[in-house]
Each structure stands twice: as C-alpha cells, then as structure tokens.
Amino acid sequence: MRNAIDRFRLDGKVALVTGAARGIGAACVELLAQAGAKVLVTDVLDDLGQKTAERIRESGAEAVYQRLDVTREDDWGAAVTKAVDTLGGLHVVVNNAGVEKVAPLLETTLEDWRRAHAVNLEGVFLGTRAAVDAMRPGGACGQGGSVVNISSAAGFVGMPGLSAYCSTKGGVRLFTKAVALECGRAGLGIRVNSVHPGVIQTQMLEDAAPSLIQLLAGGDEGRFQQLLDDLHPIGRPGRPEDVAAAVLFLASDAAGFITGTELVVDGGLTAQ
Ligand code: NAD
C-alpha cells in the first residue's frame, strides 16, 4: 500500500513553473524538484533561469530551462511541447510570473495598467488554458494534473499605490475558481487553485521598496521595515520558501480533494 506521506511527493511528475529564474518561482522549482518532480524552469531572464536549472541538476534532480514569456501564446505552445518531449509529460503548472509597479492611481498610465494585466492576468489565462489543454484526456499529456496560480494578499484586500496590481490579482483569484469548476464538472482530473502570499522578500519587493518607502513611510526606511513586520501578525514578511511549501502541497496528490480554493500564505495579514 502507498504510504500516506508519499502523496506529498511528486515522483514521476513533470512540473512547469513560470518566472522561475529567481524569487518565489525559483523556490518553487527547487522544492518541487526535491519532492521528486522533473522541472521545466521558465522565465524571460535567460542567464538567471539557466543558472537556476543548473543548480537543481547539481543537486541530482532533472531540470531544463526554456524561455517562456507568459504573454506570448507561441511561447506557451513551445513550452508545453518541451515539457512533454524532453521531460516526458506535464502534470503541474505553476503560473507564478508577475510584475508590480507602485504608482498612485493618478500616476498610473494606461501602459502601466495594460502591462500589469498582460503579465499577471493574461499570462495566467494563457498558462492555465495551455495546461488544461495538455492535461485533459486526449491532450498532449492527458493524465490530469494540478494548476497553481500565484495571486497575492492583494487579491483579497486593496493596497494603496497598487490599484493595477490589485486588479490583476483579484482577477486571478476568480478566474481560478471558474476554471476549477469547469475542470471538476467535466471530470478532467485537473485541479486549479490559487496561492495568496503576503509581502515576500524577493527582488520584486527590493524594486518596489523606494516607492513604497516614500508612499507609506514618508521616506523613512526604518519605519518602512517596521511597517512590513507589523503588517504580518506573525511579525515578519515572508520568504520564498514559505510560498513554495504551499505550492508543493497543492501540486501534490495530498491535495487531491482540493480545487477552486485560495491558500493564503501571509503571516496573518488578511486575517486582521
Ligand atoms: P520576482 O520579480 O523576484 O520574480 C518574478 C519573475 O517573473 C522574474 O523572474 C521575472 O523575470 C518573471 N517575469 C516577469 N515578466 C515575465 C513574463 N512576461 N514572462 C515570463 N516571466 C516573467 O518576484 P516574486 O516576488 O518572486 O514574484 C513571483 C510572483 O509572486 C508574482 O506573481 C508576484 O506578483 C507574486 N507575489 C509576490 C509578492 C511579494 O511580496 N514578493 C507578494 C504576493 C505575490
């Protein structure tokens, strides 16, 4: 009989993660590989993505890098083909790639708005559609699977200076539920869930910090760091590994009865 704890492992499965060169995506491919999956590391940062895949191979797991701009339909077709032809299938897709630009509403250009939606929402649409098409019975892999969409705490609550970002992340949350219902009712054997991180220490936060320090802490960096700690009742911002653990769970058969839900990984931020 299969040991119950084995259901948390991904042996024999193939996982594709977008935006996996660094940050949360890199933590995801590393953990999924440790759990036994063969991983397709995808991003638009080719050098960094290659290095992430190399690090995983050095640890003894199977990893391949493929360039995938999530806004490009053609790239999605090529990535699915790569997963199936090179790694032998496709069972898990983590739609993680994202961009964030801090700007109060009146300083948000139409271009900013469209860019945020192109990557964070259209990218998730294209990725989920490609995944379901490949995993459904008769698809290129056809064995069912799990799609995990990375939304945000900002998909539940509004955040000042992030109206475009919040719009995309709220969209991901309900898009995920609708697709989960379709897949469940059609008996496709595909689960679709979203993950909602609080503030996580990655390059995205580093890049946004100067604007956030001005906007939220009157230019005082020490006060901003304190605000970040206080925002999370657990007393600290999150780490990429905190999010990867939730992704692994949803990707695995241990979550076999879980679809259309939101897994909040925010140190209590949205519980307040
Ligand atoms: P990050 O900036 O470190 O990583 C994002 C990755 O996405 C980068 O490697 C980047 O190259 C890639 N990317 C950007 N545009 C792309 C495109 N068009 N195609 C493919 N890849 C693209 O940020 P992160 O914090 O690791 O963010 C990962 C996800 O987590 C994002 O969806 C983000 O919105 C979400 N998130 C982050 C936080 C946070 O505080 N860091 C909080 C909640 C949710």
Side-chain angles (χ1 to χ4, degrees):
M1 199 182 86
R2 194 178 173 200
N3 188 323
I5 207 75
D6 290 346
R7 299 178 71 229
F8 288 85
R9 291 196 52 87
L10 298 176
D11 301 293
K13 298 200 171 162
V14 177
L16 182 165
V17 181
T18 67
R22 68 182 190 200
I24 293 169
C28 287
V29 278
E30 277 165 13
L31 188 63
L32 298 181
Q34 279 174 35
K38 298 180 216 171
V39 293
L40 192 68
V41 178
T42 73
D43 207 297
V44 289
L45 301 176
D46 296 332
D47 289 348
L48 209 52
Q50 294 280 12
K51 281 193 187 118
T52 299
E54 215 171 283
R55 210 166 49 239
I56 294 170
R57 285 196 295 274
E58 278 165 14
S59 75
E62 217 171 313
V64 173
Y65 174 75
Q66 165 88 8
R67 183 183 179 83
L68 164 56
D69 178 337
V70 296
T71 66
R72 295 174 59 97
E73 251 179 311
D74 291 356
D75 282 11
W76 272 108
V80 169
T81 301
K82 183 84 172 187
V84 174
D85 291 354
T86 311
L87 296 174
L90 186 63
H91 310 88
V92 175
V93 169
V94 182
N95 288 303
N96 163 79
V99 292
E100 179 192 66
K101 183 174 172 193
V102 180
L105 176 67
L106 298 184
E107 290 164 32
T108 300
T109 64
L110 184 54
E111 196 186 330
D112 292 339
W113 176 270
R114 286 183 174 153
R115 181 72 194 148
H117 285 77
V119 178
N120 299 3
L121 190 53
E122 280 177 29
V124 172
F125 154 67
L126 289 174
T128 304
R129 196 181 63 178
V132 170
D133 192 35
M135 294 170 180
R136 73 188 161 86
C141 182
Q143 295 173 21
S146 170
V147 179
V148 183
N149 292 333
I150 306 299
S151 174
S152 170
F156 280 101
V157 294
M159 296 191 178
L162 290 172
S163 57
Y165 183 79
C166 288
S167 168
T168 66
K169 295 300 185 179
V172 167
R173 180 172 159 239
L174 282 181
F175 166 74
T176 300
K177 286 182 185 295
V179 178
L181 297 182
E182 280 187 31
C183 291
R185 298 249 186 250
L188 302 185
I190 302 169
R191 298 179 296 101
V192 193
N193 293 288
S194 56
V195 169
H196 299 258
V199 178
I200 309 294
Q201 280 164 325
T202 65
Q203 189 61 46
M204 181 177 276
L205 176 62
E206 292 273 308
D207 293 346
S211 308
L212 290 174
I213 290 167
Q214 288 308 322
L215 194 71
L216 304 176
D220 182 338
E221 193 176 341
R223 203 172 135 225
F224 175 66
Q225 291 305 334
Q226 192 60 51
L227 272 177
L228 280 188
D229 290 347
D230 294 347
L231 189 63
H232 303 85
I234 261 178
R236 64 165 176 87
R239 305 178 188 111
E241 301 75 39
D242 295 324
V243 183
V247 170
L248 169 59
F249 170 59
L250 289 174
S252 75
D253 291 345
F257 195 51
I258 299 178
T259 196
T261 198
E262 308 119 336
L263 185 39
V264 177
V265 186
D266 70 352
L269 188 158
T270 54
Q272 301 171 91

PDB file of all heavy atoms in Angstrom, residues 202-228:
ATOM      1  N   THR A 202      11.718  39.352  -1.926  1.00  0.00           N
ATOM      2  CA  THR A 202      12.282  38.975  -3.234  1.00  0.00           C
ATOM      3  C   THR A 202      12.735  40.259  -3.938  1.00  0.00           C
ATOM      4  O   THR A 202      12.533  41.369  -3.429  1.00  0.00           O
ATOM      5  CB  THR A 202      11.224  38.296  -4.132  1.00  0.00           C
ATOM      6  OG1 THR A 202      10.212  39.268  -4.435  1.00  0.00           O
ATOM      7  CG2 THR A 202      10.591  37.084  -3.474  1.00  0.00           C
ATOM      8  N   GLN A 203      13.247  40.085  -5.157  1.00  0.00           N
ATOM      9  CA  GLN A 203      13.662  41.237  -5.956  1.00  0.00           C
ATOM     10  C   GLN A 203      12.483  42.181  -6.214  1.00  0.00           C
ATOM     11  O   GLN A 203      12.659  43.396  -6.298  1.00  0.00           O
ATOM     12  CB  GLN A 203      14.251  40.738  -7.288  1.00  0.00           C
ATOM     13  CG  GLN A 203      14.921  41.807  -8.112  1.00  0.00           C
ATOM     14  CD  GLN A 203      16.103  42.431  -7.394  1.00  0.00           C
ATOM     15  OE1 GLN A 203      16.926  41.726  -6.827  1.00  0.00           O
ATOM     16  NE2 GLN A 203      16.183  43.759  -7.410  1.00  0.00           N
ATOM     17  N   MET A 204      11.278  41.592  -6.328  1.00  0.00           N
ATOM     18  CA  MET A 204      10.092  42.425  -6.567  1.00  0.00           C
ATOM     19  C   MET A 204       9.917  43.444  -5.440  1.00  0.00           C
ATOM     20  O   MET A 204       9.639  44.623  -5.677  1.00  0.00           O
ATOM     21  CB  MET A 204       8.847  41.535  -6.685  1.00  0.00           C
ATOM     22  CG  MET A 204       7.575  42.305  -6.953  1.00  0.00           C
ATOM     23  SD  MET A 204       6.157  41.226  -7.178  1.00  0.00           S
ATOM     24  CE  MET A 204       6.297  40.787  -8.889  1.00  0.00           C
ATOM     25  N   LEU A 205      10.111  42.994  -4.204  1.00  0.00           N
ATOM     26  CA  LEU A 205       9.991  43.904  -3.056  1.00  0.00           C
ATOM     27  C   LEU A 205      11.133  44.916  -3.073  1.00  0.00           C
ATOM     28  O   LEU A 205      10.917  46.107  -2.835  1.00  0.00           O
ATOM     29  CB  LEU A 205       9.980  43.093  -1.753  1.00  0.00           C
ATOM     30  CG  LEU A 205       9.952  43.920  -0.457  1.00  0.00           C
ATOM     31  CD1 LEU A 205       8.690  44.774  -0.372  1.00  0.00           C
ATOM     32  CD2 LEU A 205      10.052  43.016   0.770  1.00  0.00           C
ATOM     33  N   GLU A 206      12.354  44.428  -3.369  1.00  0.00           N
ATOM     34  CA  GLU A 206      13.517  45.334  -3.444  1.00  0.00           C
ATOM     35  C   GLU A 206      13.244  46.468  -4.421  1.00  0.00           C
ATOM     36  O   GLU A 206      13.516  47.629  -4.146  1.00  0.00           O
ATOM     37  CB  GLU A 206      14.749  44.580  -3.974  1.00  0.00           C
ATOM     38  CG  GLU A 206      15.300  43.533  -3.050  1.00  0.00           C
ATOM     39  CD  GLU A 206      16.289  44.133  -2.074  1.00  0.00           C
ATOM     40  OE1 GLU A 206      17.204  44.816  -2.544  1.00  0.00           O
ATOM     41  OE2 GLU A 206      16.099  43.918  -0.855  1.00  0.00           O
ATOM     42  N   ASP A 207      12.698  46.089  -5.604  1.00  0.00           N
ATOM     43  CA  ASP A 207      12.463  47.086  -6.651  1.00  0.00           C
ATOM     44  C   ASP A 207      11.367  48.072  -6.259  1.00  0.00           C
ATOM     45  O   ASP A 207      11.422  49.250  -6.620  1.00  0.00           O
ATOM     46  CB  ASP A 207      12.070  46.394  -7.974  1.00  0.00           C
ATOM     47  CG  ASP A 207      13.225  45.582  -8.543  1.00  0.00           C
ATOM     48  OD1 ASP A 207      14.368  45.765  -8.080  1.00  0.00           O
ATOM     49  OD2 ASP A 207      12.981  44.750  -9.445  1.00  0.00           O
ATOM     50  N   ALA A 208      10.366  47.571  -5.529  1.00  0.00           N
ATOM     51  CA  ALA A 208       9.243  48.439  -5.157  1.00  0.00           C
ATOM     52  C   ALA A 208       9.560  49.277  -3.918  1.00  0.00           C
ATOM     53  O   ALA A 208       8.904  50.299  -3.677  1.00  0.00           O
ATOM     54  CB  ALA A 208       8.001  47.574  -4.880  1.00  0.00           C
ATOM     55  N   ALA A 209      10.568  48.858  -3.147  1.00  0.00           N
ATOM     56  CA  ALA A 209      10.827  49.471  -1.842  1.00  0.00           C
ATOM     57  C   ALA A 209      10.988  51.003  -1.889  1.00  0.00           C
ATOM     58  O   ALA A 209      10.336  51.707  -1.108  1.00  0.00           O
ATOM     59  CB  ALA A 209      12.021  48.804  -1.163  1.00  0.00           C
ATOM     60  N   PRO A 210      11.806  51.551  -2.810  1.00  0.00           N
ATOM     61  CA  PRO A 210      11.979  53.012  -2.789  1.00  0.00           C
ATOM     62  C   PRO A 210      10.642  53.755  -2.904  1.00  0.00           C
ATOM     63  O   PRO A 210      10.403  54.719  -2.165  1.00  0.00           O
ATOM     64  CB  PRO A 210      12.872  53.278  -4.011  1.00  0.00           C
ATOM     65  CG  PRO A 210      13.607  51.987  -4.227  1.00  0.00           C
ATOM     66  CD  PRO A 210      12.655  50.905  -3.815  1.00  0.00           C
ATOM     67  N   SER A 211       9.762  53.306  -3.803  1.00  0.00           N
ATOM     68  CA  SER A 211       8.460  53.970  -3.945  1.00  0.00           C
ATOM     69  C   SER A 211       7.596  53.738  -2.708  1.00  0.00           C
ATOM     70  O   SER A 211       6.898  54.647  -2.246  1.00  0.00           O
ATOM     71  CB  SER A 211       7.701  53.434  -5.155  1.00  0.00           C
ATOM     72  OG  SER A 211       8.494  53.487  -6.284  1.00  0.00           O
ATOM     73  N   LEU A 212       7.627  52.517  -2.172  1.00  0.00           N
ATOM     74  CA  LEU A 212       6.791  52.207  -1.006  1.00  0.00           C
ATOM     75  C   LEU A 212       7.261  52.990   0.222  1.00  0.00           C
ATOM     76  O   LEU A 212       6.447  53.434   1.038  1.00  0.00           O
ATOM     77  CB  LEU A 212       6.816  50.698  -0.717  1.00  0.00           C
ATOM     78  CG  LEU A 212       6.095  49.819  -1.746  1.00  0.00           C
ATOM     79  CD1 LEU A 212       6.314  48.344  -1.453  1.00  0.00           C
ATOM     80  CD2 LEU A 212       4.596  50.126  -1.773  1.00  0.00           C
ATOM     81  N   ILE A 213       8.572  53.168   0.348  1.00  0.00           N
ATOM     82  CA  ILE A 213       9.115  53.917   1.496  1.00  0.00           C
ATOM     83  C   ILE A 213       8.596  55.354   1.456  1.00  0.00           C
ATOM     84  O   ILE A 213       8.183  55.909   2.462  1.00  0.00           O
ATOM     85  CB  ILE A 213      10.662  53.873   1.492  1.00  0.00           C
ATOM     86  CG1 ILE A 213      11.125  52.448   1.839  1.00  0.00           C
ATOM     87  CG2 ILE A 213      11.254  54.886   2.462  1.00  0.00           C
ATOM     88  CD1 ILE A 213      12.606  52.189   1.577  1.00  0.00           C
ATOM     89  N   GLN A 214       8.569  55.925   0.247  1.00  0.00           N
ATOM     90  CA  GLN A 214       8.038  57.287   0.097  1.00  0.00           C
ATOM     91  C   GLN A 214       6.552  57.320   0.391  1.00  0.00           C
ATOM     92  O   GLN A 214       6.067  58.152   1.164  1.00  0.00           O
ATOM     93  CB  GLN A 214       8.281  57.809  -1.333  1.00  0.00           C
ATOM     94  CG  GLN A 214       9.714  58.162  -1.667  1.00  0.00           C
ATOM     95  CD  GLN A 214      10.345  59.106  -0.659  1.00  0.00           C
ATOM     96  OE1 GLN A 214       9.695  60.024  -0.135  1.00  0.00           O
ATOM     97  NE2 GLN A 214      11.615  58.870  -0.338  1.00  0.00           N
ATOM     98  N   LEU A 215       5.835  56.375  -0.212  1.00  0.00           N
ATOM     99  CA  LEU A 215       4.371  56.389  -0.173  1.00  0.00           C
ATOM    100  C   LEU A 215       3.822  56.068   1.217  1.00  0.00           C
ATOM    101  O   LEU A 215       2.863  56.688   1.683  1.00  0.00           O
ATOM    102  CB  LEU A 215       3.854  55.355  -1.182  1.00  0.00           C
ATOM    103  CG  LEU A 215       2.388  55.415  -1.563  1.00  0.00           C
ATOM    104  CD1 LEU A 215       2.141  56.651  -2.426  1.00  0.00           C
ATOM    105  CD2 LEU A 215       1.999  54.160  -2.361  1.00  0.00           C
ATOM    106  N   LEU A 216       4.443  55.098   1.886  1.00  0.00           N
ATOM    107  CA  LEU A 216       3.858  54.581   3.132  1.00  0.00           C
ATOM    108  C   LEU A 216       4.589  55.046   4.391  1.00  0.00           C
ATOM    109  O   LEU A 216       4.036  54.993   5.489  1.00  0.00           O
ATOM    110  CB  LEU A 216       3.852  53.037   3.121  1.00  0.00           C
ATOM    111  CG  LEU A 216       3.137  52.364   1.941  1.00  0.00           C
ATOM    112  CD1 LEU A 216       3.299  50.849   2.012  1.00  0.00           C
ATOM    113  CD2 LEU A 216       1.657  52.720   1.936  1.00  0.00           C
ATOM    114  N   ALA A 217       5.853  55.457   4.244  1.00  0.00           N
ATOM    115  CA  ALA A 217       6.635  55.742   5.459  1.00  0.00           C
ATOM    116  C   ALA A 217       7.330  57.097   5.395  1.00  0.00           C
ATOM    117  O   ALA A 217       8.299  57.333   6.133  1.00  0.00           O
ATOM    118  CB  ALA A 217       7.653  54.631   5.668  1.00  0.00           C
ATOM    119  N   GLY A 218       6.828  57.973   4.531  1.00  0.00           N
ATOM    120  CA  GLY A 218       7.367  59.336   4.462  1.00  0.00           C
ATOM    121  C   GLY A 218       8.865  59.371   4.218  1.00  0.00           C
ATOM    122  O   GLY A 218       9.560  60.269   4.706  1.00  0.00           O
ATOM    123  N   GLY A 219       9.392  58.364   3.494  1.00  0.00           N
ATOM    124  CA  GLY A 219      10.819  58.359   3.160  1.00  0.00           C
ATOM    125  C   GLY A 219      11.700  57.736   4.238  1.00  0.00           C
ATOM    126  O   GLY A 219      12.916  57.680   4.070  1.00  0.00           O
ATOM    127  N   ASP A 220      11.105  57.256   5.320  1.00  0.00           N
ATOM    128  CA  ASP A 220      11.886  56.704   6.443  1.00  0.00           C
ATOM    129  C   ASP A 220      12.008  55.179   6.288  1.00  0.00           C
ATOM    130  O   ASP A 220      11.044  54.442   6.517  1.00  0.00           O
ATOM    131  CB  ASP A 220      11.166  57.076   7.751  1.00  0.00           C
ATOM    132  CG  ASP A 220      11.912  56.585   8.982  1.00  0.00           C
ATOM    133  OD1 ASP A 220      12.713  55.635   8.864  1.00  0.00           O
ATOM    134  OD2 ASP A 220      11.680  57.159  10.062  1.00  0.00           O
ATOM    135  N   GLU A 221      13.205  54.705   5.945  1.00  0.00           N
ATOM    136  CA  GLU A 221      13.381  53.283   5.657  1.00  0.00           C
ATOM    137  C   GLU A 221      13.150  52.406   6.887  1.00  0.00           C
ATOM    138  O   GLU A 221      12.538  51.331   6.799  1.00  0.00           O
ATOM    139  CB  GLU A 221      14.781  53.038   5.088  1.00  0.00           C
ATOM    140  CG  GLU A 221      14.895  51.660   4.499  1.00  0.00           C
ATOM    141  CD  GLU A 221      16.228  51.389   3.824  1.00  0.00           C
ATOM    142  OE1 GLU A 221      16.953  52.340   3.480  1.00  0.00           O
ATOM    143  OE2 GLU A 221      16.517  50.191   3.646  1.00  0.00           O
ATOM    144  N   GLY A 222      13.632  52.883   8.048  1.00  0.00           N
ATOM    145  CA  GLY A 222      13.458  52.118   9.292  1.00  0.00           C
ATOM    146  C   GLY A 222      11.980  51.939   9.607  1.00  0.00           C
ATOM    147  O   GLY A 222      11.539  50.852  10.002  1.00  0.00           O
ATOM    148  N   ARG A 223      11.234  53.010   9.400  1.00  0.00           N
ATOM    149  CA  ARG A 223       9.788  52.948   9.670  1.00  0.00           C
ATOM    150  C   ARG A 223       9.109  51.971   8.700  1.00  0.00           C
ATOM    151  O   ARG A 223       8.184  51.240   9.070  1.00  0.00           O
ATOM    152  CB  ARG A 223       9.182  54.358   9.519  1.00  0.00           C
ATOM    153  CG  ARG A 223       7.891  54.501  10.292  1.00  0.00           C
ATOM    154  CD  ARG A 223       7.382  55.936  10.311  1.00  0.00           C
ATOM    155  NE  ARG A 223       5.961  55.927  10.028  1.00  0.00           N
ATOM    156  CZ  ARG A 223       5.346  56.740   9.193  1.00  0.00           C
ATOM    157  NH1 ARG A 223       6.026  57.665   8.533  1.00  0.00           N
ATOM    158  NH2 ARG A 223       4.056  56.657   9.004  1.00  0.00           N
ATOM    159  N   PHE A 224       9.579  51.971   7.464  1.00  0.00           N
ATOM    160  CA  PHE A 224       9.020  51.063   6.456  1.00  0.00           C
ATOM    161  C   PHE A 224       9.260  49.601   6.864  1.00  0.00           C
ATOM    162  O   PHE A 224       8.341  48.775   6.798  1.00  0.00           O
ATOM    163  CB  PHE A 224       9.651  51.354   5.086  1.00  0.00           C
ATOM    164  CG  PHE A 224       9.237  50.386   4.014  1.00  0.00           C
ATOM    165  CD1 PHE A 224       7.919  50.336   3.579  1.00  0.00           C
ATOM    166  CD2 PHE A 224      10.151  49.510   3.444  1.00  0.00           C
ATOM    167  CE1 PHE A 224       7.520  49.437   2.586  1.00  0.00           C
ATOM    168  CE2 PHE A 224       9.770  48.613   2.461  1.00  0.00           C
ATOM    169  CZ  PHE A 224       8.454  48.571   2.034  1.00  0.00           C
ATOM    170  N   GLN A 225      10.482  49.307   7.311  1.00  0.00           N
ATOM    171  CA  GLN A 225      10.779  47.919   7.727  1.00  0.00           C
ATOM    172  C   GLN A 225       9.869  47.519   8.891  1.00  0.00           C
ATOM    173  O   GLN A 225       9.348  46.410   8.936  1.00  0.00           O
ATOM    174  CB  GLN A 225      12.251  47.784   8.161  1.00  0.00           C
ATOM    175  CG  GLN A 225      13.252  47.910   7.015  1.00  0.00           C
ATOM    176  CD  GLN A 225      13.007  46.924   5.861  1.00  0.00           C
ATOM    177  OE1 GLN A 225      12.431  45.849   6.046  1.00  0.00           O
ATOM    178  NE2 GLN A 225      13.396  47.304   4.648  1.00  0.00           N
ATOM    179  N   GLN A 226       9.661  48.452   9.822  1.00  0.00           N
ATOM    180  CA  GLN A 226       8.783  48.176  10.968  1.00  0.00           C
ATOM    181  C   GLN A 226       7.346  47.943  10.485  1.00  0.00           C
ATOM    182  O   GLN A 226       6.660  47.035  10.955  1.00  0.00           O
ATOM    183  CB  GLN A 226       8.833  49.366  11.949  1.00  0.00           C
ATOM    184  CG  GLN A 226       8.188  49.066  13.294  1.00  0.00           C
ATOM    185  CD  GLN A 226       8.869  47.895  14.017  1.00  0.00           C
ATOM    186  OE1 GLN A 226      10.075  47.877  14.164  1.00  0.00           O
ATOM    187  NE2 GLN A 226       8.082  46.899  14.422  1.00  0.00           N
ATOM    188  N   LEU A 227       6.923  48.779   9.506  1.00  0.00           N
ATOM    189  CA  LEU A 227       5.577  48.619   8.938  1.00  0.00           C
ATOM    190  C   LEU A 227       5.402  47.234   8.325  1.00  0.00           C
ATOM    191  O   LEU A 227       4.358  46.594   8.479  1.00  0.00           O
ATOM    192  CB  LEU A 227       5.349  49.662   7.830  1.00  0.00           C
ATOM    193  CG  LEU A 227       4.806  51.018   8.212  1.00  0.00           C
ATOM    194  CD1 LEU A 227       4.733  51.905   6.969  1.00  0.00           C
ATOM    195  CD2 LEU A 227       3.411  50.869   8.820  1.00  0.00           C
ATOM    196  N   LEU A 228       6.447  46.777   7.622  1.00  0.00           N
ATOM    197  CA  LEU A 228       6.381  45.455   6.983  1.00  0.00           C
ATOM    198  C   LEU A 228       6.227  44.356   8.031  1.00  0.00           C
ATOM    199  O   LEU A 228       5.442  43.422   7.856  1.00  0.00           O
ATOM    200  CB  LEU A 228       7.651  45.179   6.177  1.00  0.00           C
ATOM    201  CG  LEU A 228       7.783  45.800   4.803  1.00  0.00           C
ATOM    202  CD1 LEU A 228       9.021  45.258   4.093  1.00  0.00           C
ATOM    203  CD2 LEU A 228       6.532  45.527   3.955  1.00  0.00           C
TER     204      LEU A 228
END
